[in-house]
Amino acid sequence: LASTDSSRRLRIALGVAAVLAIWLVARRLALAEPVRVPKFSNAPKIHHASFVSCLQGKRLSIATLMEIVQSLRDCENLHAREMAIIIDRIYDVTSTRGSLELPETFLPKVSGWLGNDPALVQEVYHQTISSVFNRFTHEAAVLNPLRAKRPGVTVSGAEEYIEKLVKETEPSCDFCRYKEMTAADTFGRVETEFAMTAANTFKYDGAHGLVMFRTHNPVQWTEEQFLGLMDTAMQWFGKAHAADPTHQFPHLMWDILPKASASQVHPHAQVSLSSRRYYGQGEHLRLVAEDYARQHGDNYFSHLVQVHEALGLASHLGRATVLAYITAKKDWEVIVIADEACPDFFRLLHLTLRAYIDEYKLYAISMAMFLPAYGSDATLPAFVRIVDRGAPATVRSDISAMELFAQSNVNVDPFAVAARLRDTLRKVRR
């Protein structure tokens, strides 16, 4: 009898193992099959204004994001409920409370950090920390607005620092004498009215160059000059691809000022074409888009735009959209996105960068651009991620162990960023 039971259990175990093996093989084959990702569109199905009545006067902020999403779930508006489903599909939003006690000896110092504002001081005792996790990209951001008031966050004197830096570095600038002091690509330089290219002397890819403004000041350039820089970069991509068609995936990286890791003060961007795939983070997003299309039959980036539009975190300029990104890597992160590198895309990018510099007084900036691939279906829309890197003259780094190895710690509410950008674009449209 015991032998019969043992034999039955063995047959059941083998049967379960066989079913599991078949399922794993089927899943692997399904994942290996090419996925048709639907075409990206930045046109929102419904605008944020249509959802306002659902929010019942709730303040728009990361701190109230859980309540906002719940309001959309409960709304009589069918489109609002559908949008809540997409938000819940992509994001997990949570919040927690952190409490503490302040000794009387420490209280005056904390109050000074907070501008001696009694309301803010009261918030210190019971703080709300919000966390947003992207279920597909695995990006995560934690935000406590009070952390922006901690020591070292607000620093003045940036304009004076930059003016001095420009004057000190211009006489010996290699890029101001680029023909004598920079290398050239084997297919030659691209030289236009406002910009020029060079080969990167120490390459991180086979096709890797520099595109530089003809002006030395890293924060003073017009729309015409900026569009000229972007046109020069696009010409470089075309020449590099023609020289070697295996180089298919375009990237542009731009750091402004040493604080943002710029090796030289003269404004310049890194341009490169990789041959097998996008660089790691870009390729990760492309694979996310494939996975999203496989699971839900929709374009991930289109839904990303729709979610940000529904929450009031998107602004549009023709075919291009700027998003105050919910899971920001660092403070003030925005994404500019379009179906391709069209005039609207570059114009909105220029307006965003000038808003950072001229209106928000954010001078140390890092941005990364990924563009549709040459001759490959494994492609992305055109998009740029932009972040502020902190006060230009400060020694303190803006990146800590938290950001390097855990998750993003953000001090500026994306809803505040979105409001500022809307105001900026509204002025431009007048």
Side-chain angles (χ1 to χ4, degrees):
L1 184 61
S3 176
T4 302
D5 289 343
S6 177
S7 177
R8 184 184 299 114
R9 285 197 297 270
L10 178 60
R11 286 198 301 273
I12 291 172
L14 290 173
V16 170
V19 170
L20 180 59
I22 292 170
W23 179 82
L24 287 172
V25 170
R27 177 170 171 79
R28 179 168 293 182
L29 289 172
L31 290 175
E33 289 181 4
V35 178
R36 182 186 175 277
V37 178
K39 184 176 174 58
F40 167 77
S41 171
N42 77 322
K45 291 184 177 179
I46 190 165
H47 292 276
H48 169 69
S50 303
F51 299 137
V52 170
S53 61
C54 302
L55 303 181
Q56 302 174 337
K58 289 184 175 65
R59 181 174 62 91
L60 296 178
S61 74
I62 282 291
T64 60
L65 185 55
M66 288 181 66
E67 299 171 32
I68 293 169
V69 177
Q70 187 61 51
S71 296
L72 296 179
R73 294 189 196 109
D74 298 337
C75 188
E76 294 181 0
N77 185 324
L78 176 61
H79 293 297
R81 297 200 301 274
E82 290 174 345
M83 187 53 59
I85 291 172
I86 295 175
I87 294 172
D88 287 331
R89 177 191 300 164
I90 297 176
Y91 293 107
D92 180 32
V93 183
T94 58
S95 67
T96 187
R97 297 274 283 178
S99 300
L100 53 79
E101 296 180 357
L102 292 175
E104 289 297 322
T105 50
F106 189 37
L107 182 58
K109 193 166 193 176
V110 173
S111 180
W113 289 340
L114 299 174
N116 297 310
D117 184 329
L120 288 178
V121 172
Q122 285 303 308
E123 285 187 39
V124 171
Y125 292 97
H126 302 286
Q127 301 174 35
T128 298
I129 302 98
S130 299
S131 178
V132 184
F133 177 77
N134 187 312
R135 303 177 195 271
F136 288 87
T137 66
H138 301 153
E139 296 167 306
V142 60
L143 186 139
N144 177 353
L146 279 176
R147 284 183 60 85
K149 303 295 183 179
R150 72 193 191 282
V153 171
T154 303
V155 180
S156 59
E159 291 85 355
E160 293 81 1
Y161 164 80
I162 294 170
E163 183 180 357
K164 181 182 178 185
L165 192 64
V166 169
K167 287 181 179 178
E168 288 178 347
T169 57
E170 189 167 12
S172 59
C173 175
D174 290 341
F175 295 166
C176 288
R177 297 180 293 142
Y178 68 97
K179 288 187 178 180
E180 295 83 22
M181 298 304 296
T182 68
D185 287 297
T186 53
F187 54 78
R189 298 182 190 270
V190 179
E191 299 184 79
T192 64
E193 181 180 359
F194 299 111
M196 60 282 185
T197 68
N200 196 299
T201 307
F202 300 100
K203 298 178 179 295
Y204 56 62
D205 212 324
H208 179 198
L210 303 171
V211 56
M212 305 164 285
F213 277 116
R214 290 191 181 275
T215 179
H216 183 71
N217 192 306
V219 297
Q220 290 182 3
W221 26 266
T222 65
E223 180 178 35
E224 188 178 23
Q225 289 172 319
F226 177 80
L227 295 179
L229 181 80
M230 293 296 104
D231 176 65
T232 306
M234 295 302 291
Q235 289 188 49
W236 184 93
F237 287 132
K239 283 181 173 288
H241 176 64
D244 185 345
T246 65
H247 294 145
Q248 296 177 285
F249 301 93
H251 311 81
L252 184 149
M253 313 290 169
W254 188 8
D255 299 306
I256 300 176
L257 293 173
K259 175 68 176 181
S261 195
S263 59
Q264 297 214 29
V265 172
H266 191 114
H268 64 285
Q270 310 280 339
V271 283
S272 60
L273 280 171
S274 54
S275 57
R276 293 180 61 85
R277 61 183 67 87
Y278 288 102
Y279 295 150
Q281 294 188 37
E283 181 67 8
H284 176 63
L285 287 175
R286 190 192 67 77
L287 293 173
V288 163
E290 280 193 358
D291 189 39
Y292 195 85
R294 185 181 292 112
Q295 292 186 43
H296 304 289
D298 288 300
N299 186 291
Y300 168 77
F301 295 101
S302 297
H303 276 190
L304 195 69
V305 171
Q306 290 176 27
V307 165
H308 283 74
E309 169 62 33
L311 296 173
L313 296 171
S315 294
H316 306 274
L317 183 70
R319 292 164 58 190
T321 301
V322 59
L323 313 175
Y325 199 42
I326 300 177
T327 48
K329 280 189 174 291
K330 286 300 297 176
D331 295 343
W332 292 92
E333 181 175 1
V334 300
I335 290 179
V336 179
I337 187 167
D339 59 334
E340 61 180 353
C342 59
D344 288 338
F345 174 72
F346 289 124
R347 183 162 182 251
L348 184 56
L349 176 56
H350 169 262
L351 290 172
T352 302
L353 290 171
R354 290 316 320 174
Y356 272 50
I357 295 168
D358 300 329
E359 297 191 34
Y360 318 148
K361 306 303 179 185
L362 306 173
Y363 301 102
I365 299 168
S366 287
M367 78 173 217
M369 179 186 296
F370 299 82
L371 298 177
Y374 287 93
S376 173
D377 293 330
T379 191
L380 288 166
F383 76 94
V384 181
R385 300 185 70 161
I386 309 167
V387 295
D388 168 47
R389 298 297 304 275
T394 57
V395 176
R396 179 178 177 175
S397 174
D398 63 319
I399 299 293
S400 69
M402 177 70 163
E403 288 82 15
L404 284 172
F405 305 116
Q407 66 180 0
S408 300
N409 175 36
V410 182
N411 300 310
V412 181
D413 193 324
F415 286 88
V417 175
R420 295 288 295 273
L421 281 171
R422 274 196 305 274
D423 289 343
T424 298
L425 293 177
R426 196 176 294 122
K427 293 174 189 174
V428 171
R429 292 191 180 108
R430 285 174 185 167

